[in-house]
Amino acid sequence: MALVLALAPAAALAAPAVACDAPAYATVLHPAAHATQDARAYWLDAQFLKWPGSSGPGTYRIYHSAQARLRAEHGQRVRGADDSIEVGVPDTLPASLFERFGFVADGVELAVTRKDLAKVSQFLAGQTLLVQEDEAGRVLDATYLQAPGALDSLYARAAEDAALGVSVDAARTGFRLWAPTAQAVALCLYGDGMGPATRSAPLQRDATTGLWSATIAADLRTQYYTYLVDVFVPGTGVVRNRVTDPYSLGLTTDSKRSYVADLDDAALKPPGWDGAPRPATLAAQSDMSIYELHVRDFSIGDASVPEAHRGKYLAFTDIASDGMRHLRALREAGLSDLHLLPVFDIATIPEAGCVTPSVPDAAPDSDAQQAAVMAQAARDCFNWGYDPYHYNVPEGSYASDPADAAVRIREFRAMVMALHAVGLRVGMDVVYNHTTVSGQAERSVLDRIVPGYYQRLDATGEVERSTCCDNTATEHMMMAKLMADSIALWARQYRIDSFRFDLMGHQPRAAMEDVQQRADAAAGRHVNLIGEGWNFGEIADGRRFAQASQLSLNHSGIGTFSDRARDALRGGGCCDSGADVITAQGYLNGLFYAPNAMSAGRHTRADLLRAADFARIGLAGSLRDYRLRTVDGSDKALHEIDYKGAPAGYVAQPGEVVNYVENHDNQTLFDINAMKLPRDTSSADRARVQLLGAAFVAFSQGVAYFHAGMDLLRSKSLDRNSFDSGDWFNRLDWTYQDNYYGTGLPPASDNGKDWALLRPMLADAAMIKPAPADIAWMRDGFRDLLRIRDSSTLFRLRNADDVKQRLRFGNTGPAQNPLVIAGHLDGTGYAGANFRDVLYLLNVSPEQQTLVLPEEAGKRYVLHPVLRGADAADRREREAKFQSRDGRFVVPARTAVVLVVEQAE
């Protein structure tokens, strides 16, 4: 985004109407004479520095200019300095600095002399260059410094317990902003979200904390405000940035102004909020079963919702709608949590004037639909929302009136109330690992207040973007504080029961453990935390800190998504493209036993055996120390089994793993099966494969995670990344008539390179697309799985010892029948087991299979009560046969059979 800069001198704060209402969001007060912005050196703390790569003769000096007048040109003396500090080489660095900055490359280590330490604070609030000079004082090299280490040691430790943002009572309104490098900060007040400023006031700086604050002797509730922050920006100069509050509690349309609010005010609560009942805290994290849902997807196409509520928070309050009936039925079947894709303030959804594209009625394999959708993608009302703008405010596009900050707060709470009323706990998808933009971009909030602090920088001072966007640095104290403060606010003020962290592996474990403690304290009850623990990018393998990643969270109680069984069941990996998407079949969709036209001859029985083992690894909760007889005949702990160079078993406790085969990312399971199953697979059998996928998740130890619509054979017309694909490719049908397969080629941006492969499959939509009867069968079968999981704690074992002692797999090793997974759960004496024995048999084959399990001989197995009930969805399970004399089982084709021995046996 281009930066709009007013180059004329800014008006003084004595004229607030000019300063507060200037058309530019940033005004350059003093352009930087030193135009480059590379920052190759590090201010480790207030005293010590390191310059990677720097060596050789010469001396080092830090130069400072409050008005950005420094010029450091090679071979000349530095010009424009207000002051300077000579730095020397210390004997050694403190061990704590080695630990924090171990990722910094080798280079010269420097220290500020004690007599000059008092200057450091002043230097940080302006242009500061570290210069290597020759004996005559001429520049050999010069660089800006990355200052978070110094800012943490000087200010953040003193500020980390401070309450930031706005506070208000009947007599006064207080404002607090952390801006330790700012030269001045002023407050702009507005009577509403659109009109001119009514007042301005300077904020005062606290030298110990770097906090700027002001108190107005008036109750300013319902008014709006922004800040004017005068701060040095490398490469630009001293800039006056007009910014919203990072700790905003409310916002006006498109986040232009922050809102003065007290979230305890009755005016910000829907009727009945204070006394509204909440679902009970779960006994164990493994009790969680989650349905992941997008607010707009939920109701935008639901004709049973009043038009004004469609796509909005209030749709969840329409308790008689088709969508709410669906959610209520899931809860009654045993679902515990509804997780909402991001609902904090989102940068990429226009809150006023967004459009709904008109999509042509075209052929199933036409590119016309995606062309119409993508032509309006930047202006339409849809985005997944992984583009955080303000972390503590509900997104305005889901409110009935985004211009009224109070409305979005009340309506968000009304949504939570309505879901709690039907017994569903509410979870939020949160994104603290990146911001949408950084630097001087208009929607950059944090980086325009404390440049270079909140974002993670590379070795030259550029923002890291491994997360797809502008990475934040939660290893820095005030970014970690912002995350913990934010989660605590959502847990207390909005009664959020659980959180799912996007790309959590980019955050320190210590920061996440602090989040857990703060959330529990704020809520007065345990708040469940799960997240993506992927290990990649600049922080991979603990290069900068101990991560909150898959391999680094043992015994934390925080859950991470497991890709072990996911990949084995689906086939291939998350990021496959080209022919691999079709040829890399998985355990569910034909690996070796039912090859499709493109995969014939590609796979071997050994591949199938290995996939069966990884399916068992998932069912065992990916536990590190669970032992399994593997395909080579050896008995191994799961951490001894290799998964792409990492241990297949990686968690210490079952509550630390999240099991899934489908979520918002990548193709839906129906779509991946549309590509991988043999083309002539019937629509009824496609539904069976889908139900088997859900069964593997439901029966796996740990957290069960399901994507909304998986139970309805949801399709996105093969779209691999529908984050900005509009309503068209993200539809849900709560009337169970359509799954929207074959509604056009998916958007070219992420799928175009594969169109030649996808087009024939979409052209065959009539063969692949399910009938309403298939959708209804899957819906009811999925609910049966939830009932089975809910019926016994054996499917939700509490700790690793329980899993090791009570879960046993039959039919393992090199002589197994790899088409059937047999898992036995021992319920003897176990609280909540409700059965003495449970045996599940998962047959992925399109043909009936016979299995002999001698260890089950002599038992009186019967179908699980849910499966033998009159309303059971899958009547094929009743064809299962058990011969007690020798433990012989006949398992129907593509069926999940659950047998039990009652406690009285």
Side-chain angles (χ1 to χ4, degrees), residues 756-884:
L757 293 166
L758 305 184
R759 199 183 295 270
M761 286 178 276
L762 293 172
D764 271 356
M767 175 180 291
I768 296 172
K769 192 178 181 73
D774 300 318
I775 296 172
W777 180 87
M778 176 64 198
R779 173 200 66 202
D780 296 341
F782 181 82
R783 293 173 188 174
D784 285 347
L785 291 177
L786 290 179
R787 292 185 184 98
I788 291 169
R789 188 175 191 275
D790 194 52
S791 71
S792 174
T793 52
L794 294 175
F795 295 105
R796 301 170 276 117
L797 293 167
R798 274 36 188 151
N799 58 59
D801 287 341
D802 290 346
V803 178
K804 288 185 283 187
Q805 293 166 13
R806 295 181 179 276
L807 172 63
R808 181 188 70 245
F809 292 107
N811 183 42
T812 59
Q816 69 180 271
N817 175 351
L819 298 174
V820 183
I821 302 291
H824 176 270
L825 291 158
D826 179 5
T828 306
Y830 196 70
N834 295 329
F835 306 104
R836 196 191 75 182
D837 297 84
V838 171
L839 180 71
Y840 54 76
L841 301 166
L842 300 158
N843 178 15
V844 297
S845 170
E847 299 176 350
Q848 173 182 287
Q849 299 293 310
T850 299
L851 200 64
V852 177
L853 301 173
E855 64 273 19
E856 305 301 335
K859 297 180 181 178
R860 297 185 178 181
Y861 278 113
V862 295
L863 270 179
H864 189 285
V866 168
L867 301 181
R868 65 177 185 260
D871 296 330
D874 189 2
R875 298 307 177 97
R876 184 181 289 183
E877 287 155 332
R878 300 183 185 191
E879 300 171 13
K881 297 181 177 63
F882 169 53
Q883 190 168 292
S884 179

Side-chain angles (χ1 to χ4, degrees), residues 504-680:
M504 183 176 64
H506 270 60
Q507 296 160 188
R509 171 176 169 146
M512 286 301 304
E513 289 178 320
D514 184 53
V515 164
Q516 181 74 78
Q517 294 171 7
R518 293 281 310 282
D520 289 355
R525 56 195 284 168
H526 183 59
V527 175
N528 299 96
L529 305 183
I530 63 172
E532 292 181 305
W534 315 132
N535 176 40
F536 68 97
E538 73 283 354
I539 46 72
D541 302 320
R543 283 200 289 268
R544 294 204 179 200
F545 45 76
Q547 300 158 255
S549 61
Q550 284 182 332
L551 304 185
S552 305
L553 281 171
N554 284 331
H555 301 291
S556 68
I558 299 170
T560 59
F561 287 79
S562 177
D563 44 357
R564 278 58 169 166
R566 180 202 70 185
D567 288 354
L569 293 167
R570 288 169 63 98
C574 68
C575 306
D576 290 345
S577 62
D580 285 346
V581 176
I582 301 171
T583 59
Q585 286 178 283
Y587 188 65
L588 283 174
N589 47 43
L591 175 66
F592 183 67
Y593 61 87
N596 62 48
M598 291 179 64
S599 69
R602 174 186 170 106
H603 299 296
T604 66
R605 185 174 186 275
D607 295 328
L608 176 60
L609 286 165
R610 180 170 170 80
D613 269 0
F614 272 84
R616 296 182 183 100
I617 288 168
L619 288 163
S622 300
L623 287 169
R624 286 183 53 81
D625 297 329
Y626 184 87
R627 302 196 71 84
L628 177 69
R629 185 165 181 251
T630 63
V631 296
D632 63 5
S634 61
D635 184 57
K636 292 179 179 176
L638 299 188
H639 73 263
E640 297 173 326
I641 301 172
D642 178 73
Y643 171 76
K644 300 179 181 179
Y650 69 92
V651 306
Q653 297 295 336
E656 294 171 352
V657 70
V658 181
N659 304 296
Y660 73 117
V661 290
E662 173 185 326
N663 72 351
H664 65 273
D665 281 324
N666 310 125
Q667 298 92 342
T668 67
L669 183 61
F670 182 91
D671 284 348
I672 209 76
N673 288 338
M675 292 186 274
K676 294 177 188 289
L677 282 168
R679 192 71 56 85
D680 62 356

Side-chain angles (χ1 to χ4, degrees), residues 191-264:
D192 56 35
M194 296 294 292
T198 57
R199 184 175 182 179
S200 72
L203 273 67
Q204 301 300 314
R205 184 179 188 271
D206 178 76
T208 301
T209 60
L211 292 169
W212 293 77
S213 60
T215 300
I216 308 296
D219 183 344
L220 301 177
R221 269 176 274 220
T222 74
Q223 296 193 32
Y224 292 82
Y225 66 102
T226 59
Y227 291 117
L228 298 177
V229 180
D230 293 0
V231 66
F232 173 74
V233 179
T236 303
V238 179
V239 181
R240 176 165 295 168
N241 282 319
R242 188 175 68 248
V243 293
T244 45
D245 189 346
Y247 276 74
S248 295
L249 299 176
L251 297 159
T252 190
T253 308
D254 292 327
S255 313
K256 298 296 186 182
R257 295 173 182 175
S258 301
Y259 180 68
V260 178
D262 176 355
L263 293 180
D264 291 324

Side-chain angles (χ1 to χ4, degrees), residues 130-165:
L130 176 59
V131 180
Q132 182 186 17
E133 300 174 334
D134 64 16
E135 293 179 353
R138 292 171 298 205
V139 176
L140 296 173
D141 198 359
T143 181
Y144 286 112
L145 296 110
Q146 299 185 29
L151 296 177
D152 278 350
S153 66
L154 276 174
Y155 303 111
R157 285 190 179 90
E160 63 179 340
D161 293 329
L164 300 181

Side-chain angles (χ1 to χ4, degrees), residues 160-191:
E160 63 179 340
D161 293 329
L164 300 181
V166 67
S167 60
V168 61
D169 60 31
R172 62 186 59 83
T173 305
F175 300 86
R176 261 184 165 182
L177 179 73
W178 191 70
T181 62
Q183 297 181 3
V185 179
L187 173 72
C188 296
L189 288 169
Y190 311 85

